[in-house]
Amino acid sequence: MLKNIFILSFIVATRFFGLFIVLPVLSLYALNLKGANDFLIGMLVGIYALTQMLLQTPFGMLSDKIGRKKTMLFGLLIFIIGSLVCSFASDIYMMIFGRLLQGSGAIGAVATAMISDFVPEEKRGKAMAIMGSFIGISFATSMLIAPIMSAKFGLSSLFDLSAILSFLCIILLFAFLPKETKIIHHNEKTPLLHLFKDKNLALMNLTNFMQKMLMSLAFLSIPIVLVKGFGIFKEDELYKVYILAMLAGFFAMGLAGSLGEKRGLSKQILILGVLFFILSYVLFVVCLLANFSLSIANGVFIVAVVIFFIGFNLHEPIMQSCASKFCKVNEKGVALGIFNSFGYCGSFIGGLLGGLFFNNFDILCIILAFFSIIWLILLCFLKNPSEFKNLYLSLDTKLNLNNQILGIVDIYKNTKYLVIKFDSKIINEISLKEMLKI
């Protein structure tokens, strides 16, 4: 099981790496592309997220029907084509088209659903933490590699590397992963609209939207401010800031991964992450508007960058796991597709906002801090995912379900057990067994 988690986590992380690796430097190098302007640069940063947003749910639905592997193969091939288009692009419009194609390989939710298929729910938090850690490593690695590699070999080398790694993922997918787990569910099909209206799923969707929007904005604005604004760093020196943020982020990621699921503190960690986001944007505003010397302003800005990435990495290992716990087993592909669509919608909006406020980052920070406070208040109403528990029974167990039992969330069979998921705040395990007469 652990091998499968590592392989799928590597595939997901590689997919994110291909998108992440250009972000730390894209806004800088895009200024030199033929036809580039402020708005088109913002579009370039966020356009991949538009197709991700539109296609995550269809890809999730497709994976529920034809299987996870076939769907992931299709997505990886599209991503490779998009990467090669970007590599050979000489103007801003061809680069935007390539980024749009990259985003069309929307397999993030499919891979997450596949991990959920392989792993029992009690161990899913650990599996998602591993996946989140891989994503975090890809995120950190991209921050270190991008400035150095692009300065030495050009921006196209980053897209070439992404294409090569994606081809490696196809080999891993079919050569080393076992057959997909067959799951039989006992649920009526939930209308798609219900997945949008569910309070907890809606709050998780909002969280993914906000987190990815802030990340997209950060990657567009931070290099510009440090290189063009303060003028202290050169393009190939940005890794010095990113490596500091990476180390702090790794610590935060380990904290979130160990405490989120093991101690049942996922909700509290999500709230803590938002508090770090708010603090970072307050500091951004202070160092940009206050009458500090250049060296002090630069120092405060770097501290704000580190705090921002702590908030981001607190969220990353636990968000997918939290979202998966609020949906039924036969809805995972679709529900996680919607969840990821909101995230990529945030990335796209972030790119657009960054382009529109290209020369007014201070005003944008004030707006974002305000909306982050609203986000923080809404998250307080999220149900703690740790309140959901599972009862595992043998496959031949006969259930007495003549009357609907309040508190049962999901019933399904995998290859080993008949699983009953229930809300421990409504009914405990002993009472559930009595009512089921087992």
Side-chain angles (χ1 to χ4, degrees):
M1 182 181 70
L2 198 60
K3 182 192 79 171
N4 300 336
I5 295 170
F6 276 112
I7 291 174
L8 283 168
S9 296
F10 178 80
I11 292 172
V12 173
T14 301
R15 179 73 177 77
F16 275 97
F17 179 81
L19 297 172
F20 285 154
I21 191 168
V22 296
L23 290 180
V25 295
L26 187 58
S27 58
L28 286 172
Y29 283 88
L31 292 168
N32 300 319
L33 289 172
K34 184 179 178 182
N37 58 45
D38 293 354
F39 177 76
L40 290 177
I41 290 172
M43 178 71 74
L44 177 63
V45 171
I47 190 64
Y48 80 93
L50 177 62
T51 42
Q52 285 278 333
M53 174 186 70
L54 295 174
L55 295 175
Q56 281 289 330
T57 302
F59 265 75
M61 295 173 72
L62 185 66
S63 75
D64 286 338
K65 290 184 178 180
I66 70 170
R68 315 289 193 207
K69 281 189 176 184
K70 293 178 182 177
T71 307
M72 289 176 69
L73 171 64
F74 182 52
L76 286 167
L77 288 173
I78 294 174
F79 182 80
I80 290 172
I81 294 171
S83 298
L84 294 176
V85 169
C86 288
S87 177
F88 289 100
S90 59
D91 61 71
I92 189 74
Y93 299 103
M94 184 59 72
M95 183 73 79
I96 288 174
F97 176 67
R99 289 284 285 169
L100 188 143
L101 279 178
Q102 277 190 313
S104 297
I107 61 168
V110 181
T112 304
M114 195 170 183
I115 289 178
S116 298
D117 293 341
F118 279 129
V119 182
E121 190 158 326
E122 285 77 10
K123 297 181 180 179
R124 194 175 298 159
K126 180 180 178 181
M128 295 297 179
I130 291 173
M131 184 183 74
S133 298
F134 269 74
I135 293 173
I137 291 170
S138 74
F139 180 69
T141 305
S142 68
M143 290 195 294
L144 297 179
I145 291 177
I148 299 172
M149 192 169 173
S150 58
K152 191 168 185 179
F153 302 107
L155 187 64
S156 62
S157 65
L158 304 183
F159 293 109
D160 293 336
L161 178 60
S162 299
I164 293 168
L165 289 173
S166 296
F167 182 74
L168 174 62
C169 287
I170 293 176
I171 296 173
L172 290 173
L173 183 65
F174 287 94
F176 295 96
L177 279 179
K179 291 182 179 180
E180 298 169 46
T181 303
K182 186 177 180 181
I183 295 177
I184 303 172
H185 60 84
H186 296 262
N187 309 304
E188 294 182 3
K189 188 174 180 180
T190 303
L192 185 63
L193 184 61
H194 174 78
L195 296 177
F196 284 96
K197 293 169 65 176
D198 182 270
K199 182 196 76 172
N200 294 303
L201 283 174
L203 287 171
M204 289 306 305
N205 293 338
L206 171 66
T207 295
N208 206 19
F209 172 87
M210 289 293 296
Q211 190 228 30
K212 296 302 186 295
M213 181 182 71
L214 296 179
M215 181 196 72
S216 185
L217 277 165
F219 271 129
L220 190 149
S221 303
I222 289 171
I224 298 295
V225 173
L226 288 174
V227 176
K228 305 291 185 182
F230 295 133
I232 294 179
F233 293 93
K234 296 179 181 178
E235 286 88 341
D236 60 351
E237 294 177 331
L238 286 172
Y239 76 92
K240 296 176 182 178
V241 178
Y242 290 141
I243 196 170
L244 186 62
M246 177 197 72
L247 293 173
F250 272 140
F251 175 78
M253 189 183 301
L255 187 69
S258 61
L259 297 181
E261 294 293 334
K262 202 173 285 185
R263 301 290 177 86
L265 297 175
S266 296
K267 177 181 176 179
Q268 290 85 342
I269 289 174
L270 289 176
I271 291 173
L272 181 62
V274 179
L275 286 171
F276 274 99
F277 282 134
I278 294 171
L279 178 59
S280 68
Y281 276 95
V282 170
L283 288 176
F284 284 144
V285 172
V286 169
C287 72
L288 291 171
L289 295 183
N291 191 24
F292 290 143
S293 65
L294 186 60
S295 59
I296 294 176
N298 182 63
V300 173
F301 193 89
I302 291 173
V303 169
V305 170
V306 172
I307 291 173
F308 175 88
F309 285 113
I310 290 175
F312 178 85
N313 283 285
L314 280 173
H315 278 196
E316 201 58 39
I318 62 173
M319 285 205 309
Q320 297 274 357
S321 175
C322 289
S324 70
K325 289 187 177 181
F326 292 120
C327 57
K328 296 178 181 178
V329 66
N330 59 316
E331 301 167 352
K332 278 187 298 187
V334 180
L336 291 174
I338 294 170
F339 172 76
N340 280 280
S341 292
F342 271 85
Y344 286 111
C345 178
S347 296
F348 177 65
I349 297 299
L352 288 184
L353 287 175
L356 291 172
F357 287 86
F358 200 79
N359 296 309
N360 301 103
F361 185 54
D362 50 350
I363 296 173
L364 183 58
C365 287
I366 294 171
I367 296 171
L368 293 174
F370 173 76
F371 280 104
S372 294
I373 291 171
I374 296 175
W375 174 26
L376 176 69
I377 295 169
L378 290 174
L379 261 186
C380 294
F381 296 95
L382 179 75
K383 183 177 180 64
N384 196 326
S386 65
E387 294 172 3
F388 292 116
K389 306 294 181 184
N390 284 325
L391 176 62
Y392 292 93
L393 304 171
S394 62
L395 291 172
D396 58 356
T397 303
K398 303 296 182 182
L399 297 178
N400 179 18
L401 293 173
N402 294 327
N403 297 314
Q404 188 173 4
I405 299 174
L406 188 65
I408 290 182
V409 177
D410 198 6
I411 301 175
Y412 61 93
K413 289 182 180 179
N414 55 30
T415 54
K416 293 183 178 180
Y417 302 106
L418 169 63
V419 184
I420 301 176
K421 182 178 178 179
F422 62 96
D423 187 339
S424 62
K425 285 290 184 179
I426 298 175
I427 188 170
N428 59 42
E429 185 173 326
I430 296 174
S431 300
L432 180 60
K433 287 182 176 180
E434 290 176 352
M435 297 185 74
L436 291 173
K437 298 180 179 179
I438 54 176

